[in-house]
């Protein structure tokens, strides 16, 4: 059976197939550039693994307290060397991205401090962490206040607004790289670096934390290469490479990472404890694959953008725009189309394809 008849058997008509293949041909140069990015970032990870002298013993984990978990400690070194930070906390005990961000913020803020978000409203789940939506255990309950500066209508940092918002209590600045569920543009590492230099010129000791979720390995540099004190993300997204079964990371200065570690486990224990069970192998394998897995996600996003542009829908970013995360927004404009889209994606998935969402 040839490829085309397998597609037809799976419900993809020859017309749809030809349409897709024409679009693919048009974006070929773009894919070449994305593959180059995967190669560059793959080299960064491989080089870090060599420097840390990863060996077979690092692939197994511990139970119980997790003292002297060689694999865990080596993985944290690999992350730190890849992202060019002093230290990193990479743990299966971190449940998800929201948890990683909550640990990073609550570990580094004290009562009376102010948290300042300068890329507008943070990701939805952080509203309860910060307390902008009243919630049990929020930072607000612990006496941490919150201020926010929105991006300009063109999705750039509002320098005047930032200058006016920084005060003697401003202790931690939050920047979100990816657009998340917002319809703004995603922020590139260069632009993030410029604003970090600016806020540090106004207040040298302020901590800058970048929510790096969905952004890892989409550019040659990470926000930690341009002055961020902490970058934070989820292993269920890019850096897990689809293999890490759980986990999150915080990479940054020794001080920031240690502050987060004592919040994650306990004061006095910090990074010393935290068993990894069977996760080390998958966390390491996933990180090794992450640059190529991320690149294929970016390619799928560009492909989707090109397809839907041709069909007359509004897409953010456009197929020719630069990419700083793996997110693609398409405005489908009717509930029926959203349902049809979700059914189509589900029907093509490797798991639960027989289920109608
Ligand atoms: C996914 C995401 C989060 C939260 O991560 P979860 O793993 O869903 O808790 C935070 N910020 C951004 C930008 C994200 O994309």
């Amino acid at each position: 059976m040839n490829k085309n008849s397998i597609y037809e058997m799976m419900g993809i008509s020859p017309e749809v197939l030809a349409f897709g293949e024409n679009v693919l041909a048009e974006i070929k140069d773009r894919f070449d550039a994305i593959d180059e990015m995967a190669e560059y970032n793959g080299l960064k990870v491989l080089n870090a693994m060599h420097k840390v002298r990863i060996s077979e013993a690092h692939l197994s984990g511990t139970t119980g307290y997790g003292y002297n978990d060689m694999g865990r400690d080596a993985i944290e070194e690999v992350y730190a060397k890849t992202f060019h930070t002093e230290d990193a906390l990479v743990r299966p005990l971190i449940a998800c991205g929201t948890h990683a961000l909550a640990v990073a913020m609550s570990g580094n803020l004290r009562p009376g401090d102010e948290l300042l978000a300068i890329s507008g409203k943070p990701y939805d789940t952080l509203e309860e962490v910060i307390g902008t939506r009243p919630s049990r255990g929020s930072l607000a309950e612990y006496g941490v206040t919150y201020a926010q500066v929105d991006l300009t209508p063109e999705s750039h940092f509002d320098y005047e607004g930032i200058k006016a918002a920084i005060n003697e209590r401003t202790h931690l600045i939050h920047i979100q790289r990816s657009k998340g569920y917002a319809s703004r543009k995603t922020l590139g590492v260069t632009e993030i670096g410029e604003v970090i230099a600016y806020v540090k010129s106004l207040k040298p000791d302020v901590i800058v934390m970048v929510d790096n979720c969905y952004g890892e390995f989409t550019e040659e540099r990470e926000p930690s290469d341009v002055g961020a004190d902490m970058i934070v993300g989820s292993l269920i997204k890019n850096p897990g490479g689809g293999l890490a079964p759980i986990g999150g990371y915080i990479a940054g200065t020794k001080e920031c990472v240690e502050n987060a570690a004592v919040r994650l486990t306990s004061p006095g224990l910090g990074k010393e404890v935290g068993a990894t069970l069977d996760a080390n192998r998958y966390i390491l394998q996933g990180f090794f694959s992450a640059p190529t897995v991320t690149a294929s996600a970016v390619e799928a996003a560009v492909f989707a953008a090109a397809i839907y542009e041709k069909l007359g829908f509004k897409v953010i970013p456009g197929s020719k725009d630069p990419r700083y995360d793996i997110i693609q927004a398409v405005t489908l404009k009717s509930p029926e189309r959203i349902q049809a889209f979700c059914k189509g994606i589900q029907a093509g998935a490797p798991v639960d394809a027989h289920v109608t969402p």
Side-chain angles (χ1 to χ4, degrees):
M1 210 189 274
N2 69 21
K3 187 181 79 179
N4 292 7
S5 40
I6 300 176
Y7 272 123
E8 200 159 359
M9 197 181 71
M10 294 177 87
I12 311 287
S13 71
E15 292 75 27
V16 169
L17 186 61
F19 180 67
E21 286 187 334
N22 285 337
V23 169
L24 265 185
E26 283 173 27
I27 55 182
K28 192 169 174 317
D29 290 351
R30 194 77 205 271
F31 276 29
D32 289 345
I34 296 166
D35 290 341
E36 286 272 332
M37 188 67 73
E39 183 182 353
Y40 184 88
N41 284 319
L43 284 169
K44 272 201 315 202
V45 174
L46 185 62
N47 196 28
M49 290 175 79
H50 288 176
K51 277 196 187 139
V52 178
R53 305 174 72 118
I54 291 298
S55 48
E56 200 181 343
H58 294 131
L59 303 179
S60 38
T62 53
T63 60
Y65 289 97
Y67 283 117
N68 305 311
D69 189 316
M70 288 170 59
R72 179 195 68 206
D73 296 349
I75 287 167
E76 292 182 335
E77 246 188 286
V78 169
Y79 263 69
K81 287 208 161 32
T82 302
F83 294 148
H84 308 121
T85 56
E86 288 174 7
D87 203 355
L89 187 67
V90 185
R91 300 285 166 129
L93 297 173
I94 298 176
C96 59
T98 306
H99 187 200
L101 288 156
V103 165
M105 291 192 290
S106 54
N108 282 283
L109 287 159
R110 295 291 179 270
D113 286 345
E114 186 154 280
L115 162 67
L116 172 65
I118 61 168
S119 52
K121 191 173 92 58
Y123 197 74
D124 306 50
T125 54
L126 294 187
E127 286 177 34
E128 280 140 305
V129 174
I130 297 166
T132 38
R133 198 180 327 160
S135 182
R136 194 193 300 270
S138 69
L139 287 168
E141 283 194 351
Y142 285 91
V144 173
T145 59
Y146 172 72
Q148 177 179 315
V149 180
D150 289 335
L151 294 173
T152 65
E154 299 78 35
S155 301
H156 296 299
F157 290 107
D158 171 6
Y159 280 73
E160 283 309 307
I162 292 168
K163 187 172 185 183
I166 291 180
N167 61 54
E168 64 292 344
R169 291 196 304 110
T170 309
H171 188 66
L172 191 150
I173 288 184
H174 164 285
I175 298 171
Q176 183 181 308
R177 181 179 180 181
S178 171
K179 66 176 182 291
Y181 296 124
S183 54
R184 68 156 165 101
K185 290 197 188 91
T186 287
L187 297 159
V189 167
T190 301
E191 189 168 358
I192 289 173
E194 284 162 8
V195 84
I196 293 175
Y198 179 69
V199 299
K200 295 268 179 179
S201 76
L202 297 174
K203 189 160 189 183
D205 59 349
V206 77
I207 296 169
V208 178
M209 179 194 81
V210 177
D211 175 352
N212 209 25
C213 284
Y214 280 134
E216 299 91 353
F217 300 129
T218 58
E219 296 180 74
E220 286 187 1
R221 296 180 305 169
E222 301 292 336
S224 47
D225 290 309
V226 293
D229 298 285
M230 273 192 286
I231 57 172
V232 183
S234 166
L235 303 201
I236 314 170
K237 296 177 179 173
N238 308 16
L243 286 173
I246 188 171
Y249 77 89
I250 298 163
T253 64
K254 233 182 165 38
E255 178 77 8
C256 285
V257 170
E258 198 53 42
N259 280 338
V262 297
R263 175 59 55 201
L264 176 69
T265 63
S266 167
L269 299 180
K271 291 182 77 185
E272 296 290 313
V273 297
T276 51
L277 307 181
D278 296 323
N280 282 345
R281 172 189 304 275
Y282 302 104
I283 290 177
L284 204 48
Q285 236 179 325
F287 197 57
F288 176 69
S289 302
T292 35
V293 173
T294 301
S296 59
V298 176
E299 287 172 357
V302 171
F303 181 56
I307 291 258
Y308 283 97
E309 264 170 5
K310 276 216 180 344
L311 295 173
F313 292 95
K314 188 177 164 227
V315 299
I316 308 174
S319 64
K320 296 194 170 61
D321 294 339
R323 301 256 159 183
Y324 309 125
D325 65 10
I326 64 169
I327 303 297
Q328 180 62 51
V330 180
T331 307
L332 291 170
K333 288 188 290 201
S334 84
E336 294 74 24
R337 289 203 191 100
I338 290 174
Q339 282 173 13
F341 180 87
C342 294
K343 280 184 186 169
I345 293 288
Q346 183 102 4
V351 175
D352 282 343
H354 52 284
V355 175
T356 304

